[in-house]
Structure formats: structure tokens, C-alpha cells
Amino acid sequence: MRDDTREDSQKDEWLWGWDATPGIISVWAERDGRAIVWRREPASAGGALLREEARYRPWLLLDSLVDLLHLGARLVVVDDPQHVTPQQAPAHAVTYCELVGPGRLRYLVSAADGRLLEQAVLRGAGQRLGRPASRLADLGEGSYHSVPPDEQYLVATGRACFRGLTFDDLHRLQFDLETTGLFPDHDAIFLIAVRDNRGLARILDVQEGARQGLTGADAEADLLRRFVALIQARDPDVIENHNLHGFDLPFVARRAELLGVPLPLGRPLWNGEHALLRQRPAARGYGIARGEPEEIGDLGQMSDSGEQTEQTKQTKQNDSTDGDVEDKSGEQRRQGPPEVPTRRGRSSGGRYTMPGRELIDTLDAVRRYDFAARDLPGHGLKAVARHFGLAAPDRAYIEGAEVYATWQRDPDRVRHYALDDVNEADGLARLLGGAAFALAQMAPRRYERLADAGPATGILDPLIVRAYVRAHAALPAHSVSDGEQHTGASLYLFASGVAQRIVKADVSSLYPSLMRQYRISPAPDHLGALLALVDRLVEQRLAAKSRAKAAPPGSPERHGDEAISAAMKILVNSAYGYLGAPGLTRLADVHAANEVTRHGRATLGLLCRELAARGATLIEGDTDGVYFAVPQAWSVDDERRLVRDVADLLPPLVRLEFEGRYAAMLSHETKNYALLAYPSSPSDPSSGDDGDDEQRLLLRGVAFHSSRAEPFGEVFLRQAISCLLRGDIPGVQAVYMATADALLRRELPTLQVTTRVRLTKTPQRYLASRTSRREAAYEALLASGRTRWSRGDQVRVYRASGGRFAVLVEGADPRDYDARYYVRLLQTTYAARLARAFTPDDFAAVFAPPEQPSLFAPPLETIHPILTTLAAPPVDD
DNA sequence: TTGTCGCGGGG
DNA sequence: GTGTACGCGACAA
């Protein structure tokens, strides 16, 4: 009993660290052993900001002491190299201890100054290798492990961020740029919207400078200086925006460089001056992101916002300014000019940082969310904000390419738009940023790094390293692939067409459950850290979920517990991915991963067989869950009993859950289906036909919505499938006929037949390739007289009468679309998505060409949707 | 037709 | 200090 408790608290330390220091917001450490910790009191305690200078003992892990033997008596063995008193070893000593167990990295070494520690190791390595060693990497793969200074500090102290703070205790600021275009070499910033969660909402723009007689580059430089002053004055803990690292920061950095404006946006370090914006070391970032210069040149001349701006012209004259985002007091980190976004430059690598503040890109949070949920229409700010209901009713929308032109015509509209942007960025950060906030309370990394980290390499690995160091266990060398093939999950389509009384049952967190149930652990993990973490995460997540449910909706407590639950879900679900990524994760073990998927396939097979044996009609099974239909006469209780009966056949940690029930389903292909929810009263499918069926319709898969689809097609699909799932076949045909009719009469607005296309070629590039291949979007631009556009512009294109392509100008509605073409598209593309629901004859009758209705078709009333069985339940193996 | 590459975001 | 998935459309062979 007492052993259990001690073991539990040890494993809690692996997950949460062991030092309860509250309120840490950010840590900045140098390799020389100095650290600065910024802490904030909870708002309830005054919310003051504290700045503490600290020291830590830099450390690293080695596979051998041989490179340190040259130190002689200056190499001293101690119990705990991360905490050494002057009595234990002199100040200039390198200290070490030997770690236990079979891992290759079996020496924890430390010194008062990390640079001296490294130099000592490198000197010994140079002697051993017979050539100078200048970096730890020269020691060779797998013979050492070191982490950045701030993480050394957090591991050594057992501290973590945000203890005792709620999300809103952080001082969070959002800013958003409005620019004349996408390319900072040639476009300029004319407006910056700034808001924070302490009541600020401000627009900075070049018109203010203009009132003092500043124009062009002077006005832009003045704008940047006022921006810097505002950040310093507000002194936020966190700076957020959507695509912050991919657009706003590189744009600001580049413009500042060209204009010669320094960017001291960080908090003061030791010298008392605000630290400059810098790039986070990310080797991969630039090279590929620099882009092809001649293309950038093209873009400058072809900017869609017309002529080059005053600002840009003037800026060009002082291209050689020495603006520098480097912190002169720090190490020389920058290896080249700041990254600019280019065609290939989605800047997953290029990241920025500023001491004392955490830079959070809501695009990262959106991607992390959608990785699991897969229900977002896109990852853009506006689309996501609308999806989550964050968009204000009077939200201003301006197409990207129109922003600058709108500014010149109607600046207040752009101001409104930019404030809407920062407000939505704030809402998004609150809604989706909680997970990273909670992760920062666990893992020994800064918040901003946890926000963009991959969960396996970026979070689990640091947790595991900290656990090994804490337990004084020798750390296994980094895994390499032994060639074992990774096997996957199973996916079955049992039936296609239409079925009623649908139930979805799935195993919550299947893979981690199987790891726990069958104690599947990667072979090199002699400490058992991964499985112990998964155990803790699953247990504590359940607790956090029930705490969240008990807390008042909207309360900080609820937000906090939901965030912990979301964070733990991310970690739990990545434990399996961790196993299967040799070369990426330290303790990968593909054999163990395959053991998990093997149990997973067996579990899904068992579910399917047992459900079918008890009267269910299987429709689709995927990895960890099944859609099936039950007989018409069954009650909800019958459905639940079935799921419970089958759940009882599974081992205790593998929990089958009743996930949902639906009135009807159209099964099209695997992962492509439509579900009709029951009317408002979930227990009574026959009640309340209030005509909002379309809202109760859930469409899944690319067959039912693709970003390129014409709006009229999506509308048709929703209406037709809604009728279909209600059994209203005449209604399906009526929708079809009405849509065709509206097209033929051109009653549908032109917007309904357009597709949104993003332009990837410059005019020159397209003209060069035009002879060999014509592309609709560019032909449309040329046909409408546009010879100038910018890469990255999005346009709406449609097919106009006479077979030519046309661009739809915002606000226009010429109704000159090729109606017959779109009627054909309605038949061949959209109606076809309902084909599985009918016999071929019935399909032909329902969707006859509108101009020649079939005389011999069966009456619609006699047509019923069908369900076709495609496969039997998998057999036991 | 089939295989490979690049994109997703920001103005 | 390593990225990353996944599905689609564009382009080359």
C-alpha cells in the first residue's frame, strides 16, 4: 500500500514535475547558468508581474566519461549533478553521476557554466578522435543528449509553467497587420490592429503619421515604432494571432529590416533593455523559404493592388539598411535574413521568439484541433471563426486582394475589419489554445514551443527524458528502424445505400486502452515511463472531465479542466504514434506498435461479429467504431442493451461506448456518408417534423463537401439528401428539378456556380505555359481583361455562356453562366452522390434529364431507397 | 492514363 | 533540432 502510494507520486512527478512554484509565465536561460523567470500572480491576488533572476546547473547526458577524464581531479562524482553544493565540488569542477539500468546514455554530467562543460567534453572528444570537435554533434549520433537552456532549467528544477493560473490570468495581446500585399520585399504595412484582454482595442495606421507630415516609408517606419512602443507599454505575457509565424512576424521583421527600425519587442533581460525579436533556432526554416528571387521581382511589378505603393517605392531606395532583429546582448542566433513567406515557404520551421513573452499562433491550435476532429471547412481565420460561432453579427469581410484598395476608398471599413480579425484571433485562442496552456503545466518546455510541437517528439519525448533524469535511470539511445513494417487499422464497408435507425458505437481511446490492457510497452523503455504516463493520463483525464462537468459553464475552472482534458487526450492519443515512429521518437518500437494494431483489428472484428449476431445490420467499421442499423421495432433501450451486451465481451480497460443514434444514414463509400439526426426529442423519431431537417443533416467525407464545390451543388446535396433520408423520393426529384430549372432560367445568382481558385502562377509564368496547357482560372482572368495578379490571390471563376471562362468580380452578378453546363454538372457530379440509394432504373427515373422527363418511368411513390450488402462481418482469426 | 510534387495560411 | 497527416489538384512522363 505504502509502496503503491510512493510509486503513484513518483509517476505524478513524471507527468507534472515536482516543484509547485506558482505563476511561471516564461523562462529565459543562457548556457552560462543564468536564468530569468517571469511569474504572474493570479488576478485574484493582484495580478502583479514578478521578474526573478535565478541560477541553474547546466547538464547533459553522455554515454561515456572518457572525454572528461582529462579533467583529472576536476571531475567529481556526486549524488545529484543538478544540485551541487560548494562542499561537494569546487566551483570549476565538472560533476557527474552514473545512472542505473541498461540505457546507453548512462552519465548525467553538469557544471556551473554550460559553455565550460561543453568545452571540456569537446576537448576530450578532440583528443580521442584525433581531430578538433567544435560541436556536441561531433561526438556522434546517440552518444549524448542535450536540451536547450530553458528546458535544462525546467528539468533540473522540476518546475513547469502556469501553476495556479487560469488562462485569463495571462495578459494576452493580439495584433494583426494589414498590408498592401503578401510579400514584404515589395509590399508595405499600412495598419496594425492591436487588442488585449485588459481592455485595449486600438488601430495604428499610416494616416496618423500622415497628419504629422510623414509619408511613404517614413510613415511605415513610424507605424512600426508606435507598434513597438505600444507592445512595451502594454507588456503582454502572450502575443497571439492567426498565422503569426507564417505571416505577421516575418512580415514585420522584414519590413523593419528594410526600414531600419529595431524591434525591441521582448522583455528586458539582464542588461535592462527590451530584448529584440529573434528567430528561434530552426535549421530547416530558411533555405527552402527564401524563394526564387526573380519570382518575387515579378510579383512586385504585378501586385494586384495596382501600382507599387508610395511606401514601397521609397523603401527600395534604402534597401541596404542595417535593421537587425538580432539581440546584440545574446548569442548570435540568426544565420540569415528573416524568412519571408514564399511559394514554398509555409514556415513550419521558421519561428520567432522574444524573451519574456510567449508567441502563440492560433493556426497551430486550429491544425491540432482538426487533426482529430476533421470537421473544419478550412483553416483560415474567418472560416474557423464562423464554424465555431465566434464571428460577430456585423463582422466585416474583405477579400485579401481587395484590402488595400478598400483602405484607399474606405479606411474605416478596413479598421473595422482588422479589429474583427484580432477579436476572432482572441476567441480562437481561448477556444482552442487551452490544450497548449495545460500542456505547459506538465512538460518541461516553454508554452510557445508546446503550442506548435508535435505531440510525440515535442511533448512525450521531453516528458520521458525528464522522467529518466528524475529517476536517475540510464536513457536509451535514440531508436532506429529495424525494418519492421508498420501494420495498420482495419476499415470495412459492409453496406452502401440508405438505412434507418442507425447507431454508432465506438471504443474510446482504443489504442491507449489496448496498451494499458495488454501492458504493451516499448522494449527499450526499461523504466516503463511511457506506459506509466499513459496510465496517469487516462486516469487523470477522466477526473478532469468530471470536474469540468461539475463546474459552472463558462467558468475559468471549467475552461481549465476542459483544457487539461484536451491536453491529455492529445498526449494519450499520440502514445501509439510514439511507438510507431522509429528515428523520430527515442523509445519507438514498431513491434509493440504492431501488437497494438493487431489487438485493435481483433477488437473491431469481434465487435462487428457480435453486433451482427445480435440482429444489427452492419454498415461501416473503421479502426475503433461501427455504424450499424437496428430493426425498426427496437427501442432506444434495445439499442443501448445491445451495445452493453457486446461491451461486456471486451476486457475491462477496453470500453465500448454508445456514441450516438441517427434516424437514417446514406452510406456512399468508406468515410463518406450522410447522417440524419432524430428530431428534437431524441427518444421519439416520429415526433416534430419541423422542417429543419437540413440542419439535422451531417455530411461526412469529400464526396459531400469539397472546398472546390460550386455552392449550388452543396445546397442541392443537402436538400436532396435530407429528403432522401426522410424517405421523400418525390421531394428528391422536386429539389433536382427546381435546381435545374433555376439554373436554366438563370434564377440562381452567379456566385452559386463559381468555384474559388487560388492563383499559383504569375502572369508571366502562365503566359509561358499557356500554349501547352490552358487553365480555366487564368483564361478567365485574361478574358475579363485582367493581366495583373499576384500569386496567392483567390478568385471566383465560372463557366460563362459560349464556353468561355469568367471571373466573378466581388459584388457583381452578371447571370451569364452556361446554364446547360451546370445542369449537366448537377446530374453527373452531384446527383451521382445519391446513386447508391437506388436501383439503376429508379435512379434514372428520379434524375431524368429535366428537359426530357421519362414517359415510362415508374411512379415515384413506388420507389424506395435501397441498402446493398457488400461484405459479411470479418471472421475470427 | 499513371506517378510525383506541392499545398493547406497570411494581404 | 529533427516535423506531420491526409487528401486533392496540378503537372510531367
Side-chain angles (χ1 to χ4, degrees):
Chain A
M1 182 69 191
R2 226 173 57 207
D3 275 359
D4 278 3
T5 315
R6 195 188 315 141
E7 216 172 275
D8 279 3
S9 71
Q10 181 192 35
K11 287 169 183 173
D12 271 348
E13 291 183 343
W14 293 353
L15 183 54
W16 296 98
W18 48 90
D19 181 296
T21 302
I24 297 176
I25 282 163
S26 188
V27 172
W28 189 267
E30 297 286 347
R31 291 193 306 160
D32 62 11
R34 292 181 300 166
I36 296 178
V37 179
W38 289 271
R39 297 204 294 131
R40 194 172 277 286
E41 293 178 345
S44 54
L49 179 72
L50 312 167
R51 178 185 180 281
E52 296 168 359
E53 296 190 4
R55 289 206 65 86
Y56 72 105
R57 195 165 171 87
W59 57 270
L60 73 126
L61 294 167
L62 292 174
D63 65 341
S64 157
L65 285 183
V66 70
D67 291 337
L68 289 170
L69 294 179
H70 66 87
L71 291 170
R74 283 173 55 217
L75 182 63
V76 178
V77 64
V78 292
D79 288 339
D80 181 359
Q82 290 168 330
H83 304 96
V84 174
T85 62
Q87 291 77 38
Q88 291 170 308
H92 61 282
V94 170
T95 50
Y96 76 95
C97 84
E98 185 167 1
L99 307 176
V100 297
R104 176 170 169 193
L105 297 170
R106 48 191 313 99
Y107 296 97
L108 177 60
V109 302
S110 71
D113 186 325
R115 295 167 304 181
L116 299 180
L117 173 63
E118 201 171 301
Q119 280 163 19
V121 173
L122 292 174
R123 197 166 119 214
Q127 289 165 5
R128 174 169 56 87
L129 298 166
R131 57 185 156 80
S134 57
R135 298 169 314 163
L136 286 175
D138 295 332
L139 299 186
E141 190 80 8
S143 55
Y144 74 99
H145 180 65
S146 75
V147 302
D150 48 327
E151 297 176 18
Q152 291 181 37
Y153 173 83
L154 291 172
V155 171
T157 56
R159 292 180 165 190
C161 294
F162 305 149
R163 298 203 202 286
L165 293 184
T166 68
F167 193 69
D168 294 305
D169 286 332
L170 298 179
H171 181 171
R172 301 167 38 242
L173 178 145
Q174 299 79 28
F175 81 91
D176 187 56
L177 305 183
E178 301 304 329
T179 69
T180 61
L182 289 170
F183 302 94
D185 279 344
H186 303 280
D187 296 307
I189 304 166
F190 62 83
L191 181 149
I192 307 177
V194 187
R195 80 171 288 288
D196 69 15
N197 65 344
R198 300 291 197 268
L200 176 77
R202 178 152 336 149
I203 295 291
L204 307 174
D205 64 52
V206 291
Q207 285 193 348
E208 292 166 79
R211 282 194 285 277
Q212 272 122 58
L214 298 173
T215 57
D218 293 336
E220 191 188 4
D222 171 66
L223 172 61
L224 284 173
R225 283 188 206 98
R226 283 185 285 126
F227 173 62
V228 170
L230 184 59
I231 298 288
Q232 290 183 357
R234 300 302 293 184
D235 194 24
D237 304 324
V238 180
I239 296 179
E240 301 163 338
N241 195 24
H242 202 65
N243 205 15
L244 181 69
H245 289 288
F247 182 72
D248 299 86
L249 287 173
F251 206 109
V252 163
R254 181 65 176 148
R255 293 309 294 167
E257 182 180 38
L258 292 174
L259 295 164
V261 176
L263 294 175
L265 293 165
R267 283 184 164 143
L269 290 174
W270 292 274
N271 67 5
E273 289 174 23
H274 285 277
L276 294 171
L277 175 70
R278 31 173 115 190
Q279 287 198 302
R280 221 198 275 169
R284 228 177 49 91
Y286 329 73
I288 56 165
R290 296 295 343 252
E292 306 91 323
E294 75 282 0
E295 278 210 8
I296 299 229
D298 292 348
L299 285 162
Q301 287 146 28
M302 282 298 164
S303 167
D304 188 45
S305 45
E307 305 308 311
Q308 284 178 40
T309 61
E310 282 288 299
Q311 288 100 321
T312 311
K313 281 181 191 157
Q314 300 201 8
T315 303
K316 284 224 158 108
Q317 294 160 6
N318 61 350
D319 246 5
S320 60
T321 52
D322 57 357
D324 193 358
V325 294
E326 186 53 51
D327 185 347
K328 290 166 184 80
S329 71
E331 303 161 51
Q332 287 295 311
R333 295 190 188 210
R334 211 184 73 200
Q335 294 134 36
E339 175 188 10
V340 293
T342 68
R343 193 167 62 86
R344 288 186 289 170
R346 173 51 208 155
S347 58
S348 56
R351 297 273 173 175
Y352 289 79
T353 195
M354 49 180 81
R357 311 193 206 282
E358 303 292 308
L359 300 176
I360 297 294
D361 191 334
T362 49
L363 179 58
D364 290 321
V366 164
R367 289 208 265 238
R368 186 177 270 174
Y369 165 85
D370 203 36
F371 185 76
R374 299 193 178 288
D375 60 358
L376 293 178
H379 293 169
L381 177 67
K382 282 87 179 161
V384 178
R386 269 197 299 261
H387 179 263
F388 286 116
L390 296 168
D394 65 339
R395 213 300 183 203
Y397 292 104
I398 307 175
E399 290 276 320
E402 303 290 322
V403 167
Y404 186 52
T406 309
W407 167 252
Q408 292 170 313
R409 211 175 47 236
D410 184 0
D412 278 339
R413 193 168 138 71
V414 178
R415 293 186 179 107
H416 180 183
Y417 166 80
L419 275 182
D420 283 339
D421 269 7
V422 285
N423 281 320
E424 288 185 355
D426 163 59
L428 213 49
R430 279 200 99 258
L431 188 71
L432 300 180
F437 178 78
L439 287 171
Q441 297 168 52
M442 305 174 206
R445 286 200 144 173
R446 284 177 62 185
Y447 177 40
E448 67 177 21
R449 289 211 63 197
L450 293 165
D452 68 55
T457 54
I459 307 167
L460 277 174
D461 251 350
L463 285 171
I464 284 168
V465 169
R466 182 178 65 186
Y468 271 78
V469 170
R470 176 64 168 168
H472 279 198
L475 186 69
H478 216 285
S479 66
V480 286
S481 172
D482 65 358
E484 175 76 5
Q485 281 296 304
H486 201 311
T487 58
S490 38
L491 175 62
Y492 305 101
L493 188 62
F494 298 110
S496 69
V498 173
Q500 281 81 37
R501 298 202 71 94
I502 304 299
V503 175
K504 168 84 190 293
D506 64 13
V507 177
S508 50
S509 299
L510 176 68
Y511 287 169
S513 301
L514 294 170
M515 289 173 67
R516 298 182 71 211
Q517 178 69 48
Y518 299 103
R519 307 313 294 166
I520 301 171
S521 180
D525 185 9
H526 62 94
L527 188 59
L530 181 66
L531 200 47
L533 284 169
V534 171
D535 281 334
R536 279 290 164 287
L537 287 163
V538 169
E539 290 159 7
Q540 296 188 16
R541 174 158 184 255
L542 288 176
K545 270 173 97 169
S546 57
R547 282 199 309 273
K549 261 190 195 144
S555 65
E557 295 77 26
R558 188 172 187 140
H559 187 267
D561 279 320
E562 282 173 348
I564 287 173
S565 170
M568 291 185 161
K569 183 179 183 172
I570 288 169
L571 286 182
V572 161
N573 288 337
S574 66
Y576 162 76
Y578 184 98
L579 291 180
L584 278 180
T585 56
R586 181 163 292 275
L587 305 180
D589 181 349
V590 180
H591 300 270
N594 287 344
E595 189 67 3
V596 174
T597 46
R598 189 178 65 77
H599 280 292
R601 292 190 300 272
T603 303
L604 185 67
L606 177 77
L607 289 183
C608 292
R609 278 194 303 281
E610 297 297 335
L611 287 167
R614 287 165 174 75
T617 302
L618 301 175
I619 297 177
E620 179 172 333
D622 181 2
T623 312
D624 57 0
V626 193
Y627 282 102
F628 57 92
V630 300
Q632 284 297 323
W634 283 25
S635 68
V636 189
D637 291 338
D638 294 330
E639 295 172 0
R640 291 192 177 274
R641 191 175 316 115
L642 170 64
V643 173
R644 218 165 32 238
D645 287 349
V646 175
D648 287 343
L649 302 172
L650 299 174
L653 294 182
V654 181
R655 280 200 271 267
L656 182 70
E657 290 178 352
F658 187 97
E659 218 254 343
R661 57 193 301 270
Y662 303 90
M665 176 173 186
L666 167 63
S667 165
H668 181 66
E669 287 168 26
T670 54
K671 302 184 194 232
N672 281 274
Y673 50 84
L675 293 163
L676 184 68
Y678 284 109
S680 37
S681 165
S683 57
D684 184 3
S686 61
S687 82
D689 189 350
D690 43 6
D692 65 346
D693 291 338
E694 282 174 54
Q695 284 158 33
R696 295 192 284 118
L697 190 67
L698 198 78
L699 297 176
R700 276 282 149 81
V702 285
F704 297 116
H705 66 235
S706 103
S707 54
R708 297 250 303 147
E710 295 81 3
F712 85 90
E714 298 240 308
V715 171
F716 163 78
L717 272 180
R718 288 200 80 83
Q719 293 175 338
I721 293 174
S722 173
C723 290
L724 173 72
L725 292 183
R726 278 187 339 225
D728 177 10
I729 306 306
V732 174
Q733 191 187 53
V735 169
Y736 169 70
M737 297 297 281
T739 306
D741 202 46
L743 284 167
L744 290 168
R745 292 169 184 271
R746 297 216 176 93
E747 283 165 4
L748 286 180
T750 314
L751 183 69
Q752 291 288 307
V753 301
T754 59
T755 55
R756 237 167 105 97
V757 189
R758 146 176 254 116
L759 304 174
T760 57
K761 290 177 174 171
T762 60
Q764 286 92 330
R765 257 194 175 218
Y766 180 62
L767 291 176
S769 66
R770 189 182 180 208
T771 42
S772 57
R773 173 185 274 266
R774 302 206 157 198
E775 293 173 59
Y778 301 98
E779 289 304 311
L781 282 162
L782 294 173
S784 64
R786 285 248 310 258
T787 54
R788 310 183 147 194
W789 61 82
S790 216
R791 272 195 296 121
D793 280 2
Q794 295 192 334
V795 288
R796 292 200 161 273
V797 181
Y798 65 101
R799 198 169 147 122
S801 50
R804 69 201 161 81
F805 292 104
V807 175
L808 182 64
V809 182
E810 184 156 17
D813 186 11
R815 305 277 173 112
D816 58 345
Y817 49 83
D818 183 345
R820 298 205 168 272
Y821 169 80
Y822 286 107
V823 169
R824 222 172 320 128
L825 201 68
L826 177 68
Q827 290 175 272
T828 56
T829 301
Y830 293 105
R833 304 286 150 85
L834 283 72
R836 306 273 203 275
F838 300 100
T839 64
D841 285 351
D842 288 351
F843 182 79
V846 176
F847 296 111
E851 61 274 21
Q852 42 182 304
S854 168
L855 297 172
F856 308 104
L860 292 180
E861 293 73 28
T862 67
I863 295 178
H864 298 287
I866 58 165
L867 183 74
T868 310
T869 302
L870 303 170
V875 291
D876 194 359
D877 52 20

